[in-house]
């Protein structure tokens, strides 16, 4: 049995797939509301940024389940190959959508858009398609994002980092070693969320103190925040997959969905007067609530066809939706700034229209582009791998 056949034969965690889609939907709503929010404390769906930490936890769990017991057979390159096939086609799609819409998104605060030549924008697009993050000096929008054509790409950069760490180092740890590593990583989460700032790196993000917002740039503070947000949830998810803790709850998908929605939508907790309370909220969400959701989601089962169908659809669309929606948010920001005087109902109608538009674009991207490209890559790389193994003067070169 080949690794691909083995992975295909493993039962899926349908509920975890569905929860990824629920979180992706909430992220889109979070960003649509963000256009009208004067600051983090006033944001509707206030803790929507924690969806990224939840995604990391889900990814760690699924990576451990899918690859831990087959890693030696497929090898490091085989693992990287599978992760690139799974993730990278949509990275390219999201960047290309951002490039096509770039000059339509010159909203206030994005003054660099109008100053950017087409050649520079295309160079940035090429770097984005290759998942090469931009330094602040190469910013072409104004937010110093690693991919200014597609703001959501920053978390995929850290997802790639997590996969590299897993393949080269963390998978080799014993259970005790992984527990120690996860415990030490929890301190980083606490350090950022509680604004302890042990190493003096968080002064530049006082506007987001006592939150986990950040990780989208290559400045020292953003790199530290990104690492802190990645390590605990991702490798805590890996640890839970290895330990095998599960909690079977009737209606598990719906209970987990409600918990995710409540955690992400809960208003800012006393940020103006008691900032540390909101930091504590974020800490508890990441360190305690998200692992609990993983345990419940992995242990519960869908008990009817309709719920199963919803979970499968949400799981299928979750990644395309997440990685392609943000270029449309730039356009919404521009439109909202140019039409401030229109009735609130008009702004609501536009936001709702964008919500369903990005879902449609994500589904079309999945079916017309992502799935065919991934299938072609699987066949192409498999054939190339067999050819390489059988080539040469009797020497066997194993690349997968």
């Amino acid at each position: 049995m080949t690794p691909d056949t083995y992975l295909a034969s493993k039962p899926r965690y349908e509920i975890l797939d569905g929860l990824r889609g629920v979180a992706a939907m909430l992220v889109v709503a979070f960003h649509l509301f963000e256009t009208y929010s004067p600051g983090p404390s006033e944001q509707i769906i206030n803790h929507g940024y924690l969806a990224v930490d939840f995604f990391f936890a889900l990814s760690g769990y699924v990576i451990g389940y899918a690859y831990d017991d087959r890693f030696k057979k497929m090898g490091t390159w085989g693992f990287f190959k599978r992760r690139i096939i799974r993730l990278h086609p949509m990275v390219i799609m999201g960047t290309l959508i951002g490039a096509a819409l770039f000059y339509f998104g010159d909203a206030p605060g994005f003054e660099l858009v109008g100053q950017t030549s087409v050649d520079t924008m295309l160079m940035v697009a090429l770097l984005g398609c290759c998942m090469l993050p931009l330094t602040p000096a190469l910013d072409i929008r104004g937010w110093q994002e690693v991919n200014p054509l597609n703001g959501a790409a920053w978390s995929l950069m850290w997802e790639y980092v997590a996969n590299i760490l897993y393949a080269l180092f963390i998978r080799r740890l014993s259970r005790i070693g992984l527990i120690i590593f996860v415990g030490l990583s929890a301190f980083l989460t606490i350090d950022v969320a509680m604004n302890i700032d042990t190493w003096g790196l968080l002064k530049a993000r006082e506007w987001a103190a006592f939150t986990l917002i950040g990780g989208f740039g290559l400045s020292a503070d953003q790199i530290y925040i990104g690492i802190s947000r990645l390590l605990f949830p991702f490798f805590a998810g890996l640890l839970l997959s290895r330990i095998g803790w599960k909690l079977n709850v009737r209606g598990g998908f719906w209970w987990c969905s409600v918990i995710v929605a409540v955690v992400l939508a809960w208003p800012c907790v006393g940020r103006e007067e008691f900032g540390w309370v909101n930091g504590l909220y974020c800490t508890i969400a990441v360190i305690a609530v998200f692992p609990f959701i993983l345990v419940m989601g992995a242990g519960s089962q869908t008990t009817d066809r309709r719920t199963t169908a919803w979970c499968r659809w949400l799981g299928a669309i979750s990644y395309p939706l997440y990685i392609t929606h943000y270029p449309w948010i730039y356009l919404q920001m521009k439109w909202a700034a140019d039409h401030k005087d229109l009735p609130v109902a008009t702004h609501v109608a536009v936001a709702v229209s964008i919500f369903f538009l990005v879902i449609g674009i994500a589904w079309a991207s999945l079916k017309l582009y992502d799935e065919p490209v991934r299938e072609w890559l699987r066949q192409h790389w498999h054939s190339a791998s067999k050819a390489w193994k059988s080539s040469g003067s009797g020497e066997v070169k194993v690349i997968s």
Side-chain angles (χ1 to χ4, degrees):
M1 180 182 290
T2 67
D4 283 332
T5 304
Y6 173 79
L7 293 177
S9 67
K10 269 192 168 185
R12 296 184 67 89
Y13 285 123
E14 303 280 8
I15 291 177
L16 296 185
D17 283 346
L19 293 176
R20 182 181 286 106
V22 170
M25 297 284 183
L26 288 166
V27 166
V28 176
F30 169 75
H31 286 142
L32 288 168
F33 280 120
E34 191 174 33
T35 296
Y36 300 97
S37 301
S41 61
E42 295 86 4
Q43 166 72 305
I44 301 174
I45 311 186
N46 192 271
H47 293 89
Y49 54 85
L50 293 178
V52 171
D53 308 82
F54 183 57
F55 289 144
F56 287 150
L58 283 169
S59 293
Y61 196 99
V62 172
I63 288 293
Y65 173 70
Y67 295 106
D68 256 3
D69 58 353
R70 303 298 295 177
F71 197 96
K72 290 183 179 179
K73 187 170 184 179
M74 73 175 61
T76 301
W77 173 240
F79 171 77
F80 287 145
K81 179 179 70 174
R82 285 163 177 79
R83 298 310 293 158
I84 290 171
I85 290 174
R86 177 66 185 92
L87 298 174
H88 209 79
M90 287 308 302
V91 169
I92 294 172
M93 175 59 74
T95 300
L96 293 179
I97 291 174
L101 300 178
F102 178 70
Y103 290 108
F104 299 99
D106 57 338
F110 296 157
E111 285 75 15
L112 293 179
V113 171
Q115 304 171 22
T116 300
S117 67
V118 174
D119 289 346
T120 300
M121 186 274 290
L122 292 176
M123 179 194 70
V124 169
L126 177 61
L127 294 173
C129 288
C130 296
M131 191 54 82
L132 297 175
L134 266 66
T135 64
L138 294 175
D139 186 24
I140 62 171
R141 185 176 296 278
W143 279 3
Q144 299 186 352
E145 301 159 287
V146 295
N147 184 343
L149 299 177
N150 184 13
W154 71 269
S155 63
L156 267 295
M157 177 190 74
W158 289 113
E159 178 84 16
Y160 276 44
V161 170
N163 280 260
I164 293 170
L165 290 175
Y166 166 78
L168 299 183
F169 306 108
I170 307 302
R171 70 175 182 83
R172 305 174 190 273
L173 294 178
S174 65
R175 182 176 296 183
I176 296 299
L178 184 57
I179 290 172
I180 294 172
F181 180 82
V182 169
L184 294 174
S185 299
F187 171 76
L188 299 180
T189 300
I190 297 169
D191 188 61
V192 174
M194 299 301 296
N195 207 41
I196 298 170
D197 198 11
T198 302
W199 290 277
L201 295 172
L202 302 179
K203 301 299 182 185
R205 49 96 72 179
E206 285 298 322
W207 61 276
F210 300 105
T211 75
L212 283 171
I213 296 173
F216 47 77
L218 287 188
S219 59
D221 62 310
Q222 292 299 312
I223 291 174
Y224 176 60
I225 296 166
I227 292 172
S228 301
R229 296 185 70 179
L230 171 72
L231 292 184
F232 175 82
F234 189 95
F235 292 106
L238 175 66
L239 176 62
L240 287 173
S241 76
R242 290 185 176 181
I243 293 175
W245 287 350
K246 295 180 181 180
L247 177 63
N248 188 359
V249 176
R250 183 176 177 83
F253 169 68
W254 302 107
W255 283 112
C256 288
S257 297
V258 168
I259 296 172
V260 170
V262 169
V263 170
L264 299 188
W266 198 263
C268 184
V269 186
R271 183 172 185 268
E272 295 299 327
E273 297 180 8
F274 306 104
W276 67 270
V277 180
N278 197 73
L280 182 61
Y281 178 90
C282 294
T283 300
I284 293 173
V286 173
I287 292 180
V289 179
F290 291 165
F292 173 75
I293 293 171
L294 288 182
V295 170
M296 187 190 302
S300 303
Q301 303 292 325
T302 56
T303 56
D304 61 273
R305 292 182 179 180
R306 180 174 297 180
T307 302
T308 300
W310 269 111
C311 286
R312 289 176 179 174
W313 182 80
L314 286 166
I317 202 173
S318 60
Y319 177 49
L321 178 61
Y322 177 78
I323 202 62
T324 62
H325 83 279
Y326 208 81
W328 302 96
I329 303 299
Y330 295 132
L331 266 65
Q332 184 215 19
M333 293 178 186
K334 168 65 173 175
W335 182 89
D338 291 345
H339 298 86
K340 292 180 180 178
D341 298 331
L342 290 179
V344 172
T346 303
H347 285 266
V348 171
V350 170
V352 171
S353 298
I354 293 174
F355 183 83
F356 287 105
L357 172 68
V358 296
I359 291 175
I361 291 171
W363 186 251
S365 298
L366 172 69
K367 292 300 179 181
L368 302 178
Y369 165 74
D370 188 40
E371 290 181 348
V373 168
R374 279 192 281 143
E375 182 59 31
W376 183 87
L377 287 172
R378 288 190 193 99
Q379 295 178 1
H380 175 76
W381 273 7
H382 181 67
S383 299
S385 186
K386 290 176 63 177
W388 192 6
K389 290 177 185 179
S390 61
S391 67
S393 55
E395 182 181 2
V396 177
K397 300 181 176 68
V398 179
I399 65 170
S400 65

